[in-house]
Amino acid sequence: MGKKKILFLGCNHDQIPYLDALKQRPYVIVGVDKNNQAPGKDLCHAFYNVGYDDYSGLLEVGKLENFTSSDKVFTAAAQFAHQGAARFSQTFGISYPKEGRIGQCLNKASYYQIFLALHVPIPKTWYVKNFNDLQKYLSQARDTDRFYLKSDLGKSPKYNYRFNKAGLLANDIFWGQDQFLDKFYLLQKEYDGIHLRINVYGERYNVFEFKTGEKTHEYEKRLKSLGVIGVLREVSEFFGLENWMIKYDIILGGHGYVVLDIGMDPPARLIAFAEEVGADFPNHYLDQYLSDQITYPEVFD
């Protein structure tokens, strides 16, 4: 029996450590990237000039390379790459989270509705389609209240505005439609507290100060008393992501907390911490995503 194949989506600089680690494993690496000169191209056994959002192109690669249900799919690229990976996996019978669930995780309007259904606390949120909507919701606010306006598909700093109503102008805001904005902006009143990044992986987790990027145990008691980690695990399970490392942004307030965001791409703060302690993050990450094994060192917790 020959080696298993693995479709590797995204071969840019940030993905090279995972390609290097994967080269030490018994896989035939089939890489794809929209950049035909992608820096990881030569680390693949086969390479195709196909973007991770080119679904028909990905499926053609799968047919050309004779992918089957015994093969694997992996990406350490942008979160949107998981949609192509899921579509590919479903077509070839490969185990992977469902494309629909991944799509919900990429859309704030969708996952906030799910958070509410799961009784996950979120900031007070209004859905805004245009400037008139925005003015209507802000009409009862105090001049000193501060708000965030976030695009529904904004998995980046793009279209993320912070303001009070006195300092807001219509032409300050993008009202079109593109890959970061589909139907809505989400208006949220600023929630006072400490902004934390929590990475949940299997039965384990770690906590980072969002602004400084420092790993911390300072808030352990509060997080436990509020049941935060259990709630986040339930969210991961709902989306079928319980075997992945999932990032959550929360704000820990004086009497409670809110969950702001869910993320599926590799955790930058934890990767930086792994470098500090000399841990081989890419190999541990591959263990988790390809073999469902949690092998991260205890110092990660």
Side-chain angles (χ1 to χ4, degrees):
M1 184 177 291
K3 292 181 180 179
K4 290 183 178 180
K5 296 179 289 292
I6 183 166
L7 182 73
F8 193 100
L9 292 86
C11 299
N12 209 333
H13 292 286
D14 289 345
Q15 288 83 59
I16 287 178
Y18 303 92
L19 282 167
D20 282 334
L22 198 55
K23 289 281 285 186
Q24 309 306 314
R25 299 178 183 229
Y27 288 100
V28 174
I29 305 171
V30 179
V32 295
D33 199 290
K34 66 179 180 180
N35 176 11
N36 199 36
Q37 301 303 318
K41 176 179 180 178
D42 293 338
L43 294 172
C44 303
H45 297 100
F47 178 84
Y48 292 85
N49 184 202
V50 174
Y52 56 64
D53 56 351
D54 179 356
Y55 298 157
S56 61
L58 292 175
L59 299 187
E60 184 63 24
V61 169
K63 293 174 184 176
L64 290 171
E65 293 291 338
N66 298 310
F67 270 78
T68 70
S69 60
S70 64
D71 296 318
K72 296 285 187 177
V73 176
F74 177 84
T75 182
Q79 298 185 71
F80 292 99
H82 287 297
Q83 289 185 298
R87 178 79 60 91
F88 184 96
S89 298
Q90 182 176 338
T91 301
F92 294 98
I94 299 168
S95 178
Y96 208 83
K98 300 297 185 184
E99 182 183 359
R101 292 301 193 203
I102 286 173
Q104 290 172 325
C105 288
L106 294 169
N107 187 316
K108 288 185 178 68
S110 292
Y111 67 68
Y112 276 136
Q113 291 297 322
I114 291 168
F115 285 1
L116 289 173
L118 295 175
H119 306 291
V120 178
I122 65 171
K124 179 65 177 176
T125 300
W126 300 267
Y127 296 91
V128 173
K129 288 187 176 181
N130 52 49
F131 190 67
N132 287 336
D133 271 357
L134 182 58
Q135 287 182 309
K136 178 181 68 177
Y137 291 127
L138 292 176
S139 62
Q140 302 301 315
R142 298 172 299 179
D143 288 344
T144 55
D145 288 340
R146 298 202 68 86
F147 295 87
Y148 284 97
L149 193 68
K150 306 172 183 180
S151 56
D152 49 5
L153 302 183
K155 289 290 188 178
S156 79
K158 197 167 187 179
Y159 312 145
N160 190 344
Y161 308 94
R162 182 175 182 263
F163 54 86
N164 59 26
K165 68 177 184 179
L168 182 65
L169 298 175
N171 59 6
D172 290 338
I173 299 170
F174 172 78
W175 293 105
Q177 188 178 40
D178 63 14
Q179 62 179 322
F180 300 108
L181 177 62
D182 182 23
K183 296 179 180 178
F184 301 104
Y185 275 105
L186 286 81
L187 176 68
Q188 295 179 329
K189 186 177 177 182
E190 190 170 78
Y191 186 91
D192 291 330
I194 300 161
H195 196 162
L196 301 175
R197 163 65 55 80
I198 302 178
N199 301 306
V200 177
Y201 46 110
E203 295 301 312
R204 298 166 60 185
Y205 67 94
N206 50 49
V207 182
F208 287 80
E209 295 267 9
F210 191 87
K211 291 183 179 179
T212 66
E214 295 296 320
K215 187 169 174 292
T216 178
H217 289 280
E218 182 177 350
Y219 310 103
E220 195 80 14
K221 187 175 180 180
R222 292 276 332 277
L223 292 171
K224 286 184 177 179
S225 69
L226 292 168
V228 174
I229 305 304
V231 168
L232 299 183
R233 286 200 182 106
E234 289 177 6
V235 173
S236 294
E237 290 171 5
F238 175 87
F239 287 111
L241 303 173
E242 63 272 19
N243 294 327
W244 285 11
M245 178 174 286
I246 303 302
K247 309 183 302 187
Y248 293 95
D249 291 344
I250 80 160
I251 298 177
L252 192 61
H255 301 287
Y257 71 99
V258 294
V259 181
L260 298 179
D261 197 11
I262 179 172
M264 298 174 287
D265 52 330
R269 291 167 183 79
L270 183 55
I271 292 171
F273 177 78
E275 292 175 355
E276 290 177 14
V277 299
D280 185 353
F281 182 87
N283 258 311
H284 294 299
Y285 198 71
L286 288 170
D287 284 344
Q288 181 176 11
Y289 280 68
L290 300 182
S291 306
D292 289 335
Q293 296 179 353
I294 304 295
T295 61
Y296 304 101
E298 291 184 5
V299 69
F300 273 28
D301 299 346

